[in-house]
Amino acid sequence: MRHKITEETLALVPKYGPYGEPQTLLIQEQSEVVLEGHPIKLIEESCLYFGSSMRGRIEAARHILGPNRKTPVLIDWKAQTIFFPTTAKEKAECIWINFKQMKTVQKKGNTVQVEFQTGQRIDTDASAYSIERQRIKTLELAYEMQRRFQEERPMTFNNAR
C-alpha cells in the first residue's frame, strides 16, 4: 500500500478522473494527493493494515452503537483514528471525515463547510445536522472503545465451561 490513512489524514473526498474512473483526494495536514480508486478502497486497505477488515470494524461499531446507518469506522485505535461517512458509504459523493481532526461545521449557502483543526476546509452536500449527528455517534464509539480498552478486568465468555 503506497498511502495509508493516518492520524494526520483529514478527509477522503471522492473524485473522478478524465475517463470517469474513481479517485480519492487524500487530504493530509500538510499535503493533498489524488489516488486511484474510491475512498472505500483506501479505508479497506488501511483497516487491513491495522489488523481488521472494514466490514469487521463496522460490525464491531454496530455492536457498540446499535444498528444504524452511516456507521463510523475505527481505522487505528492506537492513534484514535476514526472516520465517519457524510452519506451512505455506497454513494459516489460520500466524503469520509477524520473525527479527531474536525473542528467546526457551518452552513455556507447551499453547502455545509467542515473546518479542521489545521484551518483547512472542505464543502459537502450533507446537512450540518447530519454531520453533527455523525460527530456525536463517533464520539460515543470513541468513548466506549476507550472505556473498554482501559478496563482492567479479564474478558468473560457466556459459553465458558
Side-chain angles (χ1 to χ4, degrees):
M1 172 175 25
R2 288 183 300 141
H3 291 88
K4 72 177 191 307
I5 296 170
T6 69
E7 61 190 311
E8 294 181 2
T9 305
L10 307 180
L12 305 171
V13 181
K15 297 177 53 88
Y16 290 93
Y19 302 105
E21 68 278 12
Q23 297 177 329
T24 298
L25 174 62
L26 175 73
I27 303 173
Q28 304 273 46
E29 289 180 0
Q30 302 295 324
S31 66
E32 293 183 3
V33 63
V34 175
L35 305 171
E36 291 181 17
H38 194 271
I40 287 178
K41 177 183 172 193
L42 187 58
I43 289 172
E44 178 65 39
E45 289 173 357
S46 293
C47 286
L48 289 170
Y49 179 84
F50 288 110
S52 182
S53 66
M54 182 177 174
R55 182 176 178 183
R57 301 281 186 174
I58 289 172
E59 286 178 19
R62 286 181 177 161
H63 180 75
I64 291 168
L65 298 171
N68 60 66
R69 298 180 0 234
K70 298 189 284 185
T71 306
V73 176
L74 172 68
I75 305 289
D76 175 10
W77 175 248
K78 187 175 179 185
Q80 296 180 349
T81 306
I82 306 173
F83 277 71
F84 66 82
T86 57
T87 65
K89 69 182 185 313
E90 297 81 12
K91 289 192 173 185
E93 67 273 15
C94 180
I95 297 171
W96 288 82
I97 296 173
N98 184 343
F99 159 76
K100 191 173 169 183
Q101 292 281 2
M102 191 175 144
K103 184 176 180 184
T104 62
V105 178
Q106 291 183 348
K107 184 155 177 56
K108 297 276 186 177
N110 293 332
T111 64
V112 169
Q113 191 173 76
V114 176
E115 182 179 4
F116 297 97
Q117 301 294 338
T118 60
Q120 292 163 274
R121 296 178 175 90
I122 60 167
D123 292 332
T124 176
D125 292 333
S127 71
Y129 174 79
S130 176
I131 298 284
E132 284 298 337
R133 292 279 308 138
Q134 287 296 95
R135 184 198 306 228
I136 291 166
K137 194 183 321 182
T138 306
L139 178 62
E140 290 171 5
L141 177 63
Y143 174 80
E144 182 59 23
M145 292 298 289
Q146 186 173 36
R147 187 187 71 75
R148 290 179 182 195
F149 276 108
Q150 290 178 351
E151 273 185 356
E152 294 197 21
R153 62 187 168 93
M155 281 180 70
T156 58
F157 297 93
N158 292 336
N159 296 336
R161 295 183 190 231

